[in-house]
C-alpha cells in the first residue's frame, strides 16, 4: 500500500530525531514491518496509529533497540542505530513498554531513582546530581506528594506518571511510549497525555507514543504516523491525517470527520 502522506516543507518540519528507511521485519514467516520509512521530528509529539496487528508496538521496539530489524536502517540523531554504545543510547532514549516490569516492594522514589542507572551503572554511587535529577523528575510529573508510597498501591494513572518520571530522571531526550493510556479512564488519559505534551513543548523532548484513540492523538500530537498491515499508510500533520477518506484506508471502516463544536478541532468517529 503506498504512503498517502502529504509532505511538509523543509522549513516547517524540524530535523528528525529518528530517520526510518525501508524498515523490514518478519517473525515466524509473518511479515510485521514491510518497507516502513518516515522521519520522526525532534521536539514534537508523534502519535503512531493503526489497527491491531499493524506493527505499531514492533516499530517502537525497533526504535528502542529492543528488537533488531531484518532490513532497512534507522538513524537516531544522525547516527545509525547499531553504532550507538548501549550506555550512550540509554542516556538519550527512554522506552516504556505496554507490559510494565514488576515493581513489587519499590517506593515511588526508588523506582524513579532507577532511571539514573545508565549514568552510574551497577557499581557506581548514587550522586548528588542523581538525587537532584530524580527529585526534579518527581516534581515535573506531580508524583512528589506520594514519593514514599509503594508503586503497587497507586492508581493506574499515578503508576504511569511514576514510570514516565523514571524516564525523565534518566534525562532521556527522546521518550518512546507504547500505549501509555490503555485501561485508564478518560480524565486520567487526558492528564497523562497533557504531561507528555508539556515534556515536548516546555522541555524540548521528542516523544513517540502508540495510541488507539484517534481523537486523543489529534488533540495531543503534533505529528502522526499511520500503519496498516505492517506498511506505512500515511505520515504527516494532524490536519493531513484526520480526514475521513484517509482514516477509512487505515482502519478499513467508513469514518466521519467533523469539527468540534467548541474548539473546531477535527474529531473522528466510525459510521
Amino acid at each position: 500500500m503506498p504512503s498517502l502522506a502529504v509532505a511538509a516543507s523543509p522549513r516547517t518540519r524540524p530535523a528528525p530525531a529518528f530517520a526510518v528507511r525501508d524498515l523490514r521485519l518478519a517473525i515466524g514467516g509473518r511479515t510485521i514491518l514491510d518497507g516502513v520509512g518516515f522521519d520522526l521530528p525532534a521536539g514534537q509529539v508523534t502519535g503512531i496509529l493503526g489497527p491491531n496487528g499493524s506493527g505499531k508496538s514492533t516499530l517502537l521496539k525497533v526504535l528502542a533497540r529492543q528488537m533488531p530489524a531484518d532490513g532497512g536502517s534507522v538513524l537516531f540523531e544522525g547516527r545509525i542505530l547499531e553504532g550507538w554504545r548501549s550506555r550512550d543510547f540509554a542516556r538519550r532514549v527512554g522506552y516504556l513498554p505496554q507490559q510494565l516490569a514488576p515493581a513489587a516492594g519499590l517506593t515511588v522514589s526508588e523506582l524513579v531513582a532507577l532511571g539514573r542507572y545508565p549514568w552510574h551503572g551497577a557499581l557506581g554511587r548514587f550522586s548528588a546530581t542523581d538525587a537532584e535529577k530524580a527529585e526534579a523528575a518527581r516534581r515535573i510529573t506531580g508524583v512528589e506528594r506520594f514519593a514514599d508510597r509503594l508503586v503497587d498501591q497507586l492508581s493506574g494513572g499515578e503508576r504511569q506518571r511514576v514510570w514516565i518520571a523514571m524516564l525523565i530522571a534518566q534525562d532521556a531526550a527522546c521518550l518512546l511510549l507504547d500505549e501509555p493510556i490503555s485501561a485508564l479512564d478518560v480524565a486520567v488519559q487526558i492528564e497523562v497525555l497533557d504531561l507528555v505534551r508539556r515534556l515536548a513543548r516546555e522541555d524540548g523532548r521528542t516523544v513517540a507514543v502508540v495510541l488507539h484513540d484517534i481523537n486523543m492523538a489529534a488533540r495531543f500530537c503534533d505529528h502522526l504516523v499511520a500503519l496498516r498491515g505492517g506498511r506505512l499508510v500515511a505520515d504527516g500533520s494532524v490536519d493531513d491525517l484526520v480526514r475521513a477518506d484517509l482514516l477509512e484506508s487505515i482502519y478499513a471502516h467508513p469514518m466521519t470527520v467533523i469539527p468540534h463544536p467548541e474548539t473546531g478541532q477535527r474529531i473522528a468517529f466510525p459510521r
Side-chain angles (χ1 to χ4, degrees), residues 147-226:
D148 296 326
R149 289 178 58 186
L150 293 174
V151 176
D152 287 349
Q153 295 177 349
L154 303 177
S155 69
E158 290 168 341
R159 282 198 301 273
Q160 287 289 31
R161 285 162 55 199
V162 171
W163 281 97
I164 293 173
M166 186 190 74
L167 300 187
I168 295 172
Q170 186 178 327
D171 231 5
C174 180
L175 308 181
L176 306 175
L177 312 176
D178 195 354
E179 296 191 35
I181 62 171
S182 63
L184 302 180
D185 63 45
V186 172
V188 180
Q189 289 180 19
I190 292 172
E191 180 182 276
V192 170
L193 290 179
D194 184 63
L195 168 62
V196 167
R197 184 171 59 182
R198 284 191 287 111
L199 292 175
R201 293 189 177 177
E202 297 177 10
D203 294 349
R205 298 177 198 265
T206 301
V207 182
V209 53
V210 172
L211 295 170
H212 278 289
D213 191 313
I214 300 166
N215 295 318
M216 287 294 189
R219 177 171 176 175
F220 290 100
C221 297
D222 306 296
H223 179 249
L224 298 175
V225 170

Side-chain angles (χ1 to χ4, degrees), residues 8-93:
S9 73
R11 289 174 299 182
T12 59
R13 176 170 289 188
F18 283 94
V20 180
R21 299 291 181 267
D22 193 29
L23 200 63
R24 288 168 277 118
L25 175 64
I27 300 176
R30 175 172 171 259
T31 299
I32 308 298
L33 297 173
D34 186 8
V36 173
F38 63 92
D39 287 344
L40 198 155
Q44 293 190 0
V45 180
T46 294
I48 302 175
L49 302 174
N52 290 333
S54 59
K56 303 183 300 296
S57 294
T58 300
L59 171 61
L60 214 64
K61 288 177 182 177
V62 172
L63 298 184
R65 300 209 320 182
Q66 300 293 307
M67 180 180 292
D70 296 328
S73 65
V74 178
L75 275 69
F76 174 63
E77 295 184 346
R79 191 190 312 177
I80 196 76
L81 212 56
E82 296 81 3
W84 282 83
R85 293 176 59 241
S86 295
R87 176 172 287 191
D88 291 341
F89 188 78
R91 289 175 174 179
R92 299 295 294 163
V93 178

